[in-house]
Amino acid sequence: MSSATFDSVQAYESARETLIQQDRSLRLDYKRPPLTQDEAAADQYIRQLRAQEAKSVWGASHEDVPHPFPGMEFLTGKAIVEQTELFKLLKKMPKGALLHCHLDATVDAKVLLQLALEHPEIHVRANSPLASDCVRTALPEFKPIFSSDAKTTSSVCASSGYEAGSWVPIVKARESFDEALGGPEGFDKWVLSGLMINASEAYDTHNTIEKIWEKFISTFGVARGIIHYVPIFSKYIKASLLASIEDGISYIEPRIYFQDEFMCGVDGEVNVPHRQWLQMFDTVVQGLHAELANQGRQEEFVGARLIYSVGKTLTPEQLKWYTDDCIQLKQQFPHIMAGFDLVGPENISVPLKTYVPTLLEFNAKVKSLGLELPLILHAGETLGDGDEPDSNLYDAILLGTKRIGHGFSLAKHPELLRLCREGEILIEVCPISNEVLRLTSSMPMHPLPILINHGVHVAICSDDPCQWGSMGLTCDFYQVIASSEVTGLIMLGEMAKDSIVYSRMSDNDKTRAMTTWNRRWAAYVKELASLGRSTESQ
Amino acid sequence: MSSATFDSVQAYESARETLIQQDRSLRLDYKRPPLTQDEAAADQYIRQLRAQEAKSVWGASHEDVPHPFPGMEFLTGKAIVEQTELFKLLKKMPKGALLHCHLDATVDAKVLLQLALEHPEIHVRANSPLASDCVRTALPEFKPIFSSDAKTTSSVCASSGYEAGSWVPIVKARESFDEALGGPEGFDKWVLSGLMINASEAYDTHNTIEKIWEKFISTFGVARGIIHYVPIFSKYIKASLLASIEDGISYIEPRIYFQDEFMCGVDGEVNVPHRQWLQMFDTVVQGLHAELANQGRQEEFVGARLIYSVGKTLTPEQLKWYTDDCIQLKQQFPHIMAGFDLVGPENISVPLKTYVPTLLEFNAKVKSLGLELPLILHAGETLGDGDEPDSNLYDAILLGTKRIGHGFSLAKHPELLRLCREGEILIEVCPISNEVLRLTSSMPMHPLPILINHGVHVAICSDDPCQWGSMGLTCDFYQVIASSEVTGLIMLGEMAKDSIVYSRMSDNDKTRAMTTWNRRWAAYVKELASLGRSTESQ
C-alpha cells in the first residue's frame, strides 16, 4: 500500500478505485444484484435533485433559520425540508415496515387533541392556574370523568380564579381560555406544546440529553390521559395505522407500553386489562383490512403486531409479573404479540444486566412453551463509552435480542458490529429521535453511516413522530439521504426491504409484504426515472 | 451467541466478561503488558476523581453555563475544566510529543500581542474606523513599517476621524484607543478577539463548519502580520516551544505554513526566504537545548522538527514549486524538515486527488534522493460521507501518508480502519479543534472512542491552541478522559507513548525521548498513587 508501488498515475487510479470498492464492499447497496435500468435512472435523478437542492434550497437564506444545511436540526429545519422536491418524492416511496415506534407517540398531536375534544367527558387540569408567565411550563393533564360531583370549575385560567389541580371539562376549558392567552387557539397551542417538543426546548432550554428527556417523558403523561381510554383507544389505533399507511408503510410493529395494568373503560373506571387492549387492537386491524379491501387498497397494508414494553424503572421482581403477562397475552394473541422490550432514558435507567436472571427465565419459558416471542431490546441509546448504558449492548446481544432499538453507541464496538452483521441483528435507527433527544446535534454527525459501511442491517424508524411532528418515515428518510453522498435511493430501498425481512410478521405475510413492496418499488422507480428523463429533456 | 446457550446466570456472566474482553481486545490499553502497582493505583485514583468531579463540579450549577457536563463545548466550559483537580493533575502528566499543530497558532494570544507591543515599528490598521458597533467585527491587521512617509494617524478609532486602512503605530493605537471602547484594555481585547475564537462565535453567530472556518482563517491573517517578521519570529518560536515544554511535552512537530515565499526582514522588506526561517528555527532550538541544560532541565526537551505545509488552494503546477522547495530545504536542514502536508478547510478545498500526480512525483524524487521526507497529510477533517472531502482519506493512505491529520471521518471506513491499524498509520486527533470547528458538538459525540476501540494508533493533538486558548495538551487530554468511562489514565499514557513512536524524530532522539518519558511517567504515577493512598486514608 506504499506509494512506491505505483508506476503511474493510472496504476494509482486503478488502486484507488479498488480500495473504494473494497471499503464499501460490506454495504448492502454494493452487495445487491445489479440495478434495473429504472433503478439506475431513479437513483441518478435523486442524486441530481439532492445536489441541486443542497444549493438552491439549503444554500438560500431562510428567515428564522440562521444556519440552514442538509440534515440540520430537524425542529428548526422542518419547514425547509418540507418545501423540497426531494421530500415530496420520498413521500411516495414504499417504505416497507415501521419497526421502532412507541404506540402512544404515533398520532399527530392535533389529531389526538381532536379525538379528545370529540369526547366531552374528557376533563383537563393544570398544575398551576394558567397565566402568561406559566402557560409554557404548566402541563395539561387529561382524564375522562363521568361522576356528577366533579367540580364545576369552567376554566383553567388564573383570571377565572382557577384552583390548581381541579378538573375542567375539556370543551369548556377550551372555550373559556383567556383571550389574553390566545382564546381557544391558545388552548390548542397549550395542549400541543404539552404533547410535543419544540425547537426552543430541544436546542436551548433543554439542550442536554437529561433535560430533554424530562420534557420528553412529560409528553407521554399528557398523551396517555387521552389515549388510555377505551372509546378513544380504538380510534387512536386506527389513526396511528392510517398515518403510517398514508406514508407508504405497509406493516407496523409498535412498542405498546403495558406498565399500567389497566386503562379507563367506558364507565370511567380504570379496570380494562391488557387482554382487552389487544382485542381492541385486533378489531381495528381487521376492520382496517376490510375497509382497505373495499377501497381496492389491500396492497397498502399487510398488518401490525405489537411489542410488549415496560419501563426500566422496575425491580426484577416487578418485571417478572410483566414477562408472565406477556407470555399469557402471546398465548391468547399469537398473531399480535411480536416480542418483549424494556424502555426508558438509558443514561439513568436500571441497566439491562440487573434484569438478566428474569429475562433468561423468560427466554427459557418462551422456548419451553414453543412460542415465537423474542426479546427486541432497546440498547445503546447513549453517548456513553464503556459505561453501564453503553454496556447494555452486550446484554441485549447475549440475551438474544432479534433487533436492537437505537444501537447509537454500537459503532464503538468492533466485536458487536461483527456479531450484529454476521448474526443478522438489525439495528432500528431513529435519526430524528436521536437528534431531538440530543445524542447528535445534526444528521451529518450521526453514526448511521458507520453502521451502513460496516454492513450492519439497519431499518430507519421514527420512534415518536408525534413529539417531533414527523408523521410516517419520510422525514427520517429525508434526513438520512440529505446528509450523505454515498447513500442514495438504492440504500433507502435496501433498508426498506430489510425492515420487512427483520419484522416479526408471519412468513406468509412477509412473502406478501415483499411481493407488494417489489411491485410498488418498481412503479416508484419507474416514475422517478421518467421524471429524470423529462427533466433532462427540458 | 443465542441465549439458549446459557444454563445459568453464572454461565451468562462469564460469557459477558469474555465478550467485553473480546470487544476491547484491539485497544492499546488492553493489549499492553500488565500495569505496575503504581500505574494501577494511579489509574484507580484518576477514575475515582473523575467520577467524583462529574458530580461535584459538573453536576453543580455554574453562572453563565446553563448546561454543564463533562466534555462539553470547550469555549463555554473552559473555566469549569480549569477548576477541576483532574485538570490540575493532568497538567503534570508527561505528554510525549505534540504531533499536530500549526506553528502560527501555538503561542498564547496575549503573549503574541505582547511581542508585537515590544516592537514599536509594528503598525496596525482596521478595515473600518472603530466604533462600538463594529469593534467586534472589524479586524486588526499588523505590519512592521519603517519608512518615514507612513501617515501620521495616531488612532484607529472613529472618534479621531480614522481613515479605514491607514497604518497606525501599535503603541499609539493602543494608547489612544477610545475610552468608550475600553481604552488600552479595549485595544487588547480587540486584538485578542481577532486572534482567537470565542464561545459566541463558535456556538452562535458562526455555528456551522463553513462559517466558523471563515472566522478561523481570519485569525491567521491577524497573527501572521506579527509573526512573519524576523525580529519577532525567533522570539515567537521560543515562546511556542516553551508553552509546550511547560505542559510536559518533550518534542514538537508543528506544521509550518510556507505558502508565503518570504517573511519581513529587519529592514521592513518582505524578502527573507524559507531557508532563513529554518535557520532561525534551528538557532532557537539549539539555544533552548543549551538554556535548559544550564538549568538541569535537559530531560524536558528532546527537540522539534517542522512539517512543510501549504494550502489546498494551489493549482498542481503551483504545488510543484513548493514540493521542490521542500526537498531543497530537507537537503539543507535534514534534522529539521520532517515531512510535507497540504492544509485548509477540507469541505471547500481542492481535493487531494487533484494533486496526486504532483505528490507521486514528489514521493519518487524523495525516494531517488534517499531522503526521509514522507507525506504527513491532513485528511477526513469533515462530516462528509463518501463525498470528495471524506474521500481524501483514500488518497492520503494510497499516497503513503505516515500519519493522518484529524481523520475525523475515518470511523466510517472499515477497510481504512484496518489499513491504519495494520499499516501503523497513526491518527492525529484534535479533540478541541474538532469541537470548536463544529465537526462535533461536544466530546461525547466525538468518534475518538471508535478509533481507540478499533485498535487504531492515536495521538491527541492541540492543532491551534492560540485560537481556543488551550496552551499545551492538558485541555485536550482532559476533554478525552472526562467524556469516557473506559478510557482512563493508562490509555492517555499509551497515546503519549505512541506520539513518540510515530513522531519523525531521529532514532537516537526517539530512544532518548522514550527513556525519559518512561522515567517521568513512573514518577508521575507514583505521585498519583500516593495521592490516592492519602485520599483513602482521610
Side-chain angles (χ1 to χ4, degrees):
Chain A
M1 193 53 63
S2 139
S3 61
T5 57
F6 300 115
D7 297 330
S8 65
V9 172
Q10 213 177 354
Y12 176 92
E13 277 168 6
S14 150
R16 186 180 197 271
E17 194 44 41
T18 305
L19 179 58
I20 294 177
Q21 292 303 318
Q22 174 69 17
D23 192 42
R24 295 183 180 168
S25 61
L26 297 169
R27 286 178 65 98
L28 299 174
D29 53 350
Y30 276 63
K31 281 170 95 167
R32 51 156 280 156
L35 303 185
T36 64
Q37 217 170 358
D38 280 345
E39 281 178 325
D43 182 54
Q44 191 61 21
Y45 177 57
I46 290 294
R47 286 177 189 277
Q48 277 165 11
L49 187 59
R50 173 173 65 189
Q52 179 197 315
E53 293 189 333
K55 288 184 190 159
S56 65
V57 178
W58 294 105
S61 60
H62 297 267
E63 213 185 332
D64 299 332
V65 184
H67 311 298
F69 63 90
M72 72 177 293
E73 299 86 340
F74 178 72
L75 302 178
T76 309
K78 190 182 169 203
I80 306 177
V81 168
E82 287 172 348
Q83 67 188 247
T84 64
E85 186 61 22
L86 180 53
F87 177 82
K88 287 166 199 156
L89 294 178
L90 290 176
K91 187 113 192 72
K92 300 182 188 177
M93 177 183 157
K95 309 286 194 312
L98 171 54
L99 297 186
H100 188 115
C101 64
H102 297 271
L103 185 61
D104 293 349
T106 54
V107 167
D108 189 277
K110 283 189 191 127
V111 175
L112 183 53
L113 170 59
Q114 192 50 42
L115 283 177
L117 288 168
E118 287 166 10
H119 290 263
E121 68 275 22
I122 295 286
H123 284 54
V124 61
R125 67 178 181 183
N127 48 16
S128 71
L130 292 182
S132 60
D133 60 344
C134 67
V135 75
R136 281 163 176 231
T137 51
L139 281 181
E141 190 184 349
F142 296 96
K143 182 179 166 180
I145 299 183
F146 292 86
S147 65
S148 56
D149 58 347
K151 289 197 184 154
T152 54
T153 318
S154 69
S155 168
V156 288
C157 297
S159 61
S160 67
Y162 176 68
E163 192 186 322
S166 346
W167 292 103
V168 183
I170 184 169
V171 177
K172 278 193 183 166
R174 183 172 189 274
E175 280 166 2
S176 67
F177 209 68
D178 256 13
E179 280 307 318
L181 301 177
E185 285 75 29
F187 175 85
D188 297 350
K189 258 186 154 169
W190 174 57
V191 175
L192 295 182
S193 78
L195 289 167
M196 300 176 74
I197 293 176
N198 65 41
S200 143
E201 289 161 343
Y203 312 135
D204 183 10
T205 58
H206 294 61
N207 189 14
T208 66
I209 296 173
E210 282 66 27
K211 289 181 186 172
I212 196 65
W213 262 90
E214 279 176 28
K215 160 73 196 185
F216 180 52
I217 287 178
S218 76
T219 62
F220 285 93
V222 177
R224 284 194 191 120
I226 305 171
I227 301 169
H228 284 195
Y229 172 48
V230 165
I232 289 183
F233 190 64
S234 293
K235 295 184 195 173
Y236 178 89
I237 293 165
K238 187 168 174 187
S240 165
L241 297 175
L242 283 174
S244 283
I245 293 167
E246 184 75 14
D247 196 60
I249 296 162
S250 64
Y251 170 85
I252 307 104
E253 203 168 284
R255 264 81 174 169
I256 182 166
Y257 191 69
F258 268 149
Q259 193 141 337
D260 291 338
E261 215 178 308
F262 303 104
M263 75 163 69
C264 185
V266 288
D267 53 1
E269 295 296 318
V270 181
N271 62 3
V272 180
H274 294 164
R275 186 171 34 81
Q276 277 178 250
W277 306 23
L278 295 190
Q279 273 161 351
M280 288 187 274
F281 184 81
D282 204 13
T283 305
V284 172
V285 170
Q286 299 316 322
L288 194 54
H289 277 304
E291 196 176 316
L292 290 168
N294 276 340
Q295 300 168 17
R297 294 172 59 199
Q298 60 272 34
E299 277 217 343
E300 294 178 35
F301 181 55
V302 180
R305 294 191 169 203
L306 293 168
I307 299 168
Y308 193 115
S309 72
V310 284
K312 283 189 260 196
T313 47
L314 299 174
T315 65
E317 294 67 35
Q318 291 170 322
L319 178 61
K320 180 74 172 64
W321 186 89
Y322 292 99
T323 51
D324 286 347
D325 184 47
C326 179
I327 287 172
Q328 281 165 28
L329 291 172
K330 176 68 184 179
Q331 290 171 317
Q332 294 169 294
F333 302 91
H335 59 297
I336 295 181
M337 290 310 302
F340 187 86
D341 190 16
L342 288 145
V343 303
E346 197 144 7
N347 285 356
I348 54 169
S349 291
V350 175
L352 278 181
K353 68 175 180 184
T354 304
Y355 299 125
V356 161
T358 316
L359 294 175
L360 286 177
E361 203 182 309
F362 168 77
N363 278 339
K365 195 161 173 190
V366 164
K367 195 182 171 193
S368 75
L369 291 169
L371 299 174
E372 280 281 338
L373 188 61
L375 296 173
I376 304 177
L377 296 169
H378 276 70
E381 188 183 4
T382 179
L383 291 173
D385 179 32
D387 57 5
E388 277 189 343
D390 178 36
S391 299
N392 281 338
L393 284 168
Y394 298 119
D395 295 293
I397 290 173
L398 286 168
L399 287 165
T401 195
K402 287 290 173 189
R403 307 193 300 252
I404 293 175
H406 293 288
F408 191 91
S409 71
L410 184 70
K412 289 176 183 146
H413 301 280
E415 180 64 5
L416 303 188
L417 280 171
R418 189 186 69 76
L419 285 175
C420 288
R421 179 172 62 239
E422 296 177 6
E424 307 231 316
I425 300 170
L426 172 136
I427 314 303
E428 302 160 349
V429 172
C430 308
I432 294 173
S433 168
N434 296 156
E435 182 263 300
V436 173
L437 297 180
R438 308 282 74 202
L439 286 174
T440 183
S441 279
S442 65
M443 218 26 226
M445 292 181 198
H446 195 285
L448 173 61
I450 304 177
L451 302 184
I452 292 178
N453 287 346
H454 278 77
V456 175
H457 292 269
V458 165
I460 301 300
C461 307
S462 58
D463 207 7
D464 310 277
C466 165
Q467 275 74 355
W468 11 104
S470 63
M471 291 304 113
L473 280 170
T474 302
C475 295
D476 286 283
F477 273 53
Y478 183 91
Q479 291 294 81
V480 168
I481 198 173
S483 57
S484 175
E485 177 80 14
V486 62
T487 287
L489 184 68
I490 304 306
M491 187 66 215
L492 296 190
E494 293 302 310
M495 294 192 280
K497 276 192 277 184
D498 265 350
S499 69
I500 295 172
V501 172
Y502 291 83
S503 74
R504 302 301 301 169
M505 57 182 120
S506 71
D507 289 347
N508 270 351
D509 280 356
K510 215 174 257 189
T511 308
R512 193 158 69 90
M514 198 57 97
T515 308
T516 58
W517 186 87
N518 278 320
R519 193 155 48 221
R520 293 171 80 185
W521 173 256
Y524 178 63
V525 292
K526 192 184 171 80
E527 184 190 337
L528 292 180
S530 142
L531 263 176
R533 274 191 301 276
S534 70
T535 308
E536 261 173 36
S537 64
Q538 271 167 16
Chain B
M1 193 51 65
S2 139
S3 61
T5 58
F6 302 115
D7 297 330
S8 64
V9 173
Q10 211 177 355
Y12 176 94
E13 277 167 5
S14 148
R16 186 180 196 271
E17 194 44 43
T18 306
L19 179 57
I20 294 177
Q21 292 303 319
Q22 174 69 15
D23 192 42
R24 294 181 180 169
S25 61
L26 297 169
R27 286 180 65 99
L28 298 174
D29 54 352
Y30 275 64
K31 281 169 95 167
R32 52 156 280 155
L35 303 184
T36 66
Q37 217 169 358
D38 280 344
E39 281 178 324
D43 182 53
Q44 192 61 22
Y45 176 58
I46 291 292
R47 285 177 189 276
Q48 277 165 11
L49 186 60
R50 173 173 67 189
Q52 179 197 316
E53 293 190 330
K55 287 184 191 161
S56 65
V57 178
W58 294 105
S61 60
H62 297 269
E63 212 183 334
D64 299 333
V65 184
H67 311 298
F69 63 91
M72 72 177 294
E73 298 87 338
F74 178 72
L75 302 179
T76 309
K78 189 182 170 201
I80 305 177
V81 167
E82 288 172 348
Q83 67 188 249
T84 63
E85 187 62 22
L86 181 53
F87 177 83
K88 287 165 200 155
L89 293 179
L90 289 177
K91 185 115 192 75
K92 300 182 186 176
M93 176 184 157
K95 309 286 193 311
L98 171 53
L99 297 186
H100 188 114
C101 64
H102 297 273
L103 186 60
D104 294 349
T106 54
V107 167
D108 189 277
K110 282 190 191 126
V111 175
L112 184 53
L113 171 59
Q114 193 48 44
L115 283 176
L117 288 168
E118 287 166 11
H119 289 263
E121 68 275 22
I122 295 285
H123 285 53
V124 61
R125 67 178 181 183
N127 47 18
S128 70
L130 291 182
S132 59
D133 59 344
C134 68
V135 75
R136 280 164 177 231
T137 51
L139 281 180
E141 189 183 350
F142 296 97
K143 182 179 166 179
I145 300 182
F146 292 88
S147 66
S148 55
D149 59 349
K151 289 199 182 153
T152 53
T153 318
S154 68
S155 168
V156 287
C157 296
S159 62
S160 67
Y162 176 68
E163 193 185 321
S166 342
W167 292 103
V168 182
I170 184 168
V171 178
K172 279 193 183 167
R174 183 174 189 273
E175 282 166 0
S176 68
F177 209 68
D178 257 13
E179 279 308 320
L181 301 177
E185 285 76 28
F187 175 85
D188 296 350
K189 258 186 155 169
W190 174 55
V191 174
L192 295 182
S193 77
L195 290 166
M196 299 177 74
I197 294 177
N198 64 41
S200 143
E201 289 162 342
Y203 312 135
D204 183 9
T205 59
H206 294 61
N207 189 13
T208 67
I209 296 173
E210 282 66 27
K211 289 180 186 173
I212 197 65
W213 262 90
E214 280 176 28
K215 161 72 197 190
F216 180 51
I217 287 177
S218 77
T219 62
F220 285 93
V222 177
R224 284 193 191 121
I226 305 171
I227 301 169
H228 285 195
Y229 171 47
V230 165
I232 289 183
F233 190 65
S234 293
K235 296 185 194 171
Y236 178 88
I237 293 166
K238 186 168 176 187
S240 165
L241 297 175
L242 283 174
S244 282
I245 294 166
E246 183 76 14
D247 196 58
I249 297 162
S250 64
Y251 170 85
I252 307 103
E253 202 168 285
R255 264 79 173 170
I256 182 167
Y257 191 70
F258 268 150
Q259 193 141 336
D260 292 338
E261 215 177 311
F262 303 104
M263 77 163 67
C264 185
V266 286
D267 53 0
E269 296 294 317
V270 183
N271 61 3
V272 180
H274 294 165
R275 185 173 34 81
Q276 275 176 253
W277 305 22
L278 294 192
Q279 273 162 352
M280 289 186 272
F281 184 81
D282 203 12
T283 305
V284 172
V285 170
Q286 298 317 322
L288 193 55
H289 276 306
E291 196 175 316
L292 290 168
N294 277 341
Q295 299 168 18
R297 294 171 60 198
Q298 60 272 33
E299 277 216 343
E300 294 178 37
F301 182 54
V302 180
R305 293 189 170 205
L306 293 168
I307 298 169
Y308 193 114
S309 73
V310 284
K312 283 189 261 196
T313 47
L314 300 174
T315 64
E317 295 68 35
Q318 290 170 325
L319 178 61
K320 180 74 172 65
W321 185 88
Y322 290 100
T323 52
D324 285 347
D325 184 47
C326 178
I327 287 173
Q328 281 164 27
L329 290 173
K330 176 69 184 177
Q331 289 171 317
Q332 293 169 299
F333 302 91
H335 59 297
I336 295 181
M337 290 310 301
F340 187 85
D341 190 15
L342 287 144
V343 303
E346 197 144 8
N347 285 355
I348 54 167
S349 291
V350 175
L352 278 182
K353 68 176 180 184
T354 304
Y355 298 125
V356 162
T358 316
L359 294 175
L360 286 177
E361 204 182 310
F362 168 77
N363 277 339
K365 194 162 174 187
V366 164
K367 193 182 172 192
S368 75
L369 292 169
L371 300 174
E372 279 282 338
L373 189 61
L375 295 174
I376 303 176
L377 297 169
H378 277 69
E381 188 184 5
T382 179
L383 292 173
D385 179 31
D387 57 5
E388 277 188 344
D390 178 36
S391 299
N392 281 338
L393 284 168
Y394 297 119
D395 294 293
I397 290 173
L398 285 168
L399 286 164
T401 196
K402 287 291 173 189
R403 308 191 302 253
I404 293 174
H406 293 289
F408 191 90
S409 70
L410 185 69
K412 291 178 183 141
H413 301 280
E415 179 64 6
L416 302 187
L417 281 171
R418 189 186 69 76
L419 286 173
C420 287
R421 177 173 63 241
E422 296 177 7
E424 308 230 316
I425 300 170
L426 171 135
I427 314 302
E428 303 160 349
V429 173
C430 308
I432 295 173
S433 167
N434 296 157
E435 183 262 300
V436 173
L437 297 180
R438 306 285 72 201
L439 286 174
T440 184
S441 280
S442 66
M443 218 26 224
M445 292 182 198
H446 194 287
L448 173 62
I450 304 178
L451 302 184
I452 291 177
N453 286 347
H454 278 78
V456 175
H457 291 270
V458 165
I460 301 299
C461 307
S462 57
D463 207 7
D464 309 280
C466 164
Q467 274 75 355
W468 11 103
S470 63
M471 291 304 114
L473 281 171
T474 302
C475 295
D476 286 283
F477 273 53
Y478 182 90
Q479 291 292 82
V480 168
I481 199 173
S483 57
S484 176
E485 177 80 15
V486 62
T487 288
L489 185 68
I490 304 305
M491 187 66 217
L492 296 189
E494 293 301 311
M495 292 193 280
K497 276 192 275 184
D498 265 350
S499 69
I500 295 171
V501 173
Y502 290 83
S503 74
R504 302 301 302 169
M505 57 181 119
S506 71
D507 289 346
N508 271 351
D509 280 356
K510 215 174 260 191
T511 308
R512 193 158 69 88
M514 196 58 95
T515 308
T516 57
W517 185 86
N518 279 321
R519 192 154 49 223
R520 294 172 79 184
W521 173 256
Y524 178 63
V525 292
K526 192 185 172 80
E527 185 189 337
L528 292 181
S530 141
L531 264 175
R533 274 191 301 274
S534 70
T535 308
E536 261 172 38
S537 64
Q538 271 166 17

